[in-house]
């Protein structure tokens, strides 16, 4: 197993696991540690939604209407759109593609946080959970964080979704489709973009199927299928997912947490030759930069493993 040595700038805590489809770990750092995972917990909502849709409990065509109470800023597209109502499957697609916060809250109202929690229990998850809806401001009345999880549980969950054994083959395929449209490949996925030819915007499983039938399909790395979910918040970066090439699948979960106390403008860094790219950064920005370098290391291990 590879000995991952990840950056610790600013007191970063890591939980990481990269494994093959046989369940063989190829790289790990404190994989059992439970950390904050920001939007990664939305995967549990998508899994329960896919179960309800594929089992006929919820119609994928059912229209969901956004409300003022569910309105949140930050990531997503729906809050920029004029349309007030969307079908369940389109709302889920927004969650998978752009981690849409408004879509998350609307979908969670329909599916239910309790149902998502029950799904986590059925999946055997103890450290991994979606705790609340997305909020612009968290007070003592709310859950302390949106979601938590460990790399061991999340990488294992990704393996089950990839194999079609998490919920059901049909439900898991739907989740893979939603997540394969994810446009955030800034972390682990950045290596697959830069070194494996993955189009950061056009790499969905639909395109993969088209590319398999027609090699002229543009924007898709031949023989490679990628899907993932990321999470970003103050002091949190997380990336979980899977990549398949020629029938071989590698799954990963990489989570980094750190304290953001002290402010973004404090203590500018005068970096030496080894860290020229960090010169002039605040300590907070240096920590984020170091974390993203660590995510790239995980991505390089993923790519090396799937192409070996």
């Amino acid at each position: 197993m590879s000995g991952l040595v990840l950056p610790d700038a600013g007191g970063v805590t890591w939980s990481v696991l990269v494994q093959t489809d046989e369940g063989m770990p190829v790289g790990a750092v404190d994989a059992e540690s439970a950390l904050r995972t920001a939007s990664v917990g939305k995967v549990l909502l998508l899994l329960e939604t896919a179960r309800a849709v594929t089992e006929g409990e919820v119609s994928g065509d059912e229209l969901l209407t956004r409300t003022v109470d569910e309105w949140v800023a930050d990531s997503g597209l729906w809050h920029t759109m004029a349309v007030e109502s969307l079908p369940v499957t389109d709302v889920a697609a927004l969650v998978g593609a752009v981690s849409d916060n408004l879509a998350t809250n609307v979908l969670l109202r329909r599916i239910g946080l309790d149902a998502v929690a029950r799904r986590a229990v059925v999946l055997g998850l103890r450290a991994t959970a979606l705790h609340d809806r997305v909020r612009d401001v968290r007070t003592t009345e709310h859950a302390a964080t949106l979601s938590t999880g460990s790399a061991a549980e999340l990488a294992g969950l990704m393996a089950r979704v990839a194999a079609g054994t998490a919920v059901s083959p049909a439900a898991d395929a739907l989740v893979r489709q939603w997540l394969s449209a994810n446009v955030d490949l800034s972390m682990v996925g950045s290596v697959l973009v830069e070194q494996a030819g993955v189009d950061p915007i056009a790499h969905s499983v639909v395109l993969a199927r088209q590319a398999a039938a027609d090699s002229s399909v543009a924007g898709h790395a031949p023989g490679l299928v990628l899907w993932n979910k990321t999470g970003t918040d103050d002091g949190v970066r997380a990336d979980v997912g899977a990549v398949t090439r020629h029938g071989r699948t590698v799954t990963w979960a990489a989570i980094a947490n750190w304290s953001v106390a002290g402010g973004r403008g404090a203590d500018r860094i005068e970096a030496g030759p080894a860290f020229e790219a960090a010169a002039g950064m605040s300590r907070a920005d240096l920590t984020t930069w170091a974390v993203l370098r660590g995510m790239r290391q995980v991505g390089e291990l993923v790519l090396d493993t799937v192409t070996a």
Side-chain angles (χ1 to χ4, degrees):
M1 183 169 66
S2 173
L4 279 170
V5 180
L6 300 174
D8 185 31
V12 179
T13 300
W14 289 92
S15 182
V16 177
L17 179 62
V18 178
Q19 62 182 13
T20 67
D21 45 10
E22 295 89 5
M24 179 69 68
V26 294
V29 175
D30 293 332
E32 300 293 339
S33 295
L35 300 176
R36 293 173 291 137
T37 53
S39 290
V40 163
K42 295 173 184 177
V43 170
L44 298 175
L45 172 60
L46 293 180
L47 283 166
E48 179 58 16
T49 301
R51 182 206 64 77
V53 168
T54 56
E55 293 182 4
E57 187 177 303
V58 172
S59 170
D61 295 327
E62 178 185 337
L63 289 179
L64 301 182
T65 302
R66 63 192 183 186
T67 66
V68 173
D69 179 62
E70 292 158 335
W71 203 279
V72 283
D74 206 6
S75 64
L77 288 174
W78 199 0
H79 69 280
T80 71
M81 296 162 57
V83 63
E84 294 291 334
S85 302
L86 288 170
V88 166
T89 50
D90 285 356
V91 176
L94 283 173
V95 176
V98 292
S99 199
D100 197 298
N101 285 337
L102 175 55
T104 297
N105 285 350
V106 172
L107 189 60
L108 191 58
R109 184 229 311 157
R110 176 62 180 89
I111 300 301
L113 186 60
D114 288 344
V116 175
R118 288 193 296 272
R119 179 55 40 194
V121 171
V122 170
L123 289 166
L125 304 175
R126 296 185 177 184
T128 301
L130 179 66
H131 298 291
D132 196 8
R133 51 164 281 184
V134 184
R135 301 180 186 276
D136 285 326
V137 178
R138 291 197 173 275
T139 71
T140 55
E141 297 178 353
H142 306 136
T145 191
L146 178 62
S147 74
T148 53
S150 70
E153 287 190 351
L154 284 164
L157 179 60
M158 296 302 100
R160 284 186 279 172
V161 173
T165 59
V167 177
S168 70
D172 294 349
L174 195 51
V175 172
R176 294 196 301 271
Q177 178 178 317
W178 290 331
L179 295 180
S180 70
N182 182 24
V183 298
D184 184 7
L185 299 184
S186 62
M187 299 185 223
V188 174
S190 65
V191 174
L192 299 170
V193 171
E194 296 170 12
Q195 299 182 27
V198 170
D199 189 310
I201 297 176
H203 57 271
S204 74
V205 294
V206 174
L207 281 177
R209 288 194 293 267
Q210 293 173 350
D214 181 359
S215 60
S216 68
V217 172
H220 195 278
L224 191 147
V225 178
L226 164 69
W227 48 270
N228 74 313
K229 182 74 191 76
T230 57
T232 299
D233 202 351
D234 291 340
V236 181
R237 293 294 186 277
D239 191 334
V240 304
V243 61
T244 300
R245 179 177 181 268
H246 301 326
R248 184 178 193 185
T249 298
V250 175
T251 59
W252 71 85
I255 311 161
N257 283 188
W258 68 96
S259 172
V260 294
R264 293 179 58 84
D267 298 329
R268 295 281 165 181
I269 304 299
E270 295 183 5
F275 296 97
E276 290 181 359
M281 289 184 181
S282 68
R283 291 193 179 276
D285 289 339
L286 175 62
T287 302
T288 303
W289 176 78
V291 166
L292 292 177
R293 287 191 65 189
M295 291 291 182
R296 286 184 57 86
Q297 288 178 244
V298 177
E300 288 166 356
L301 179 58
V302 168
L303 182 58
D304 288 346
T305 303
V306 81
T307 57

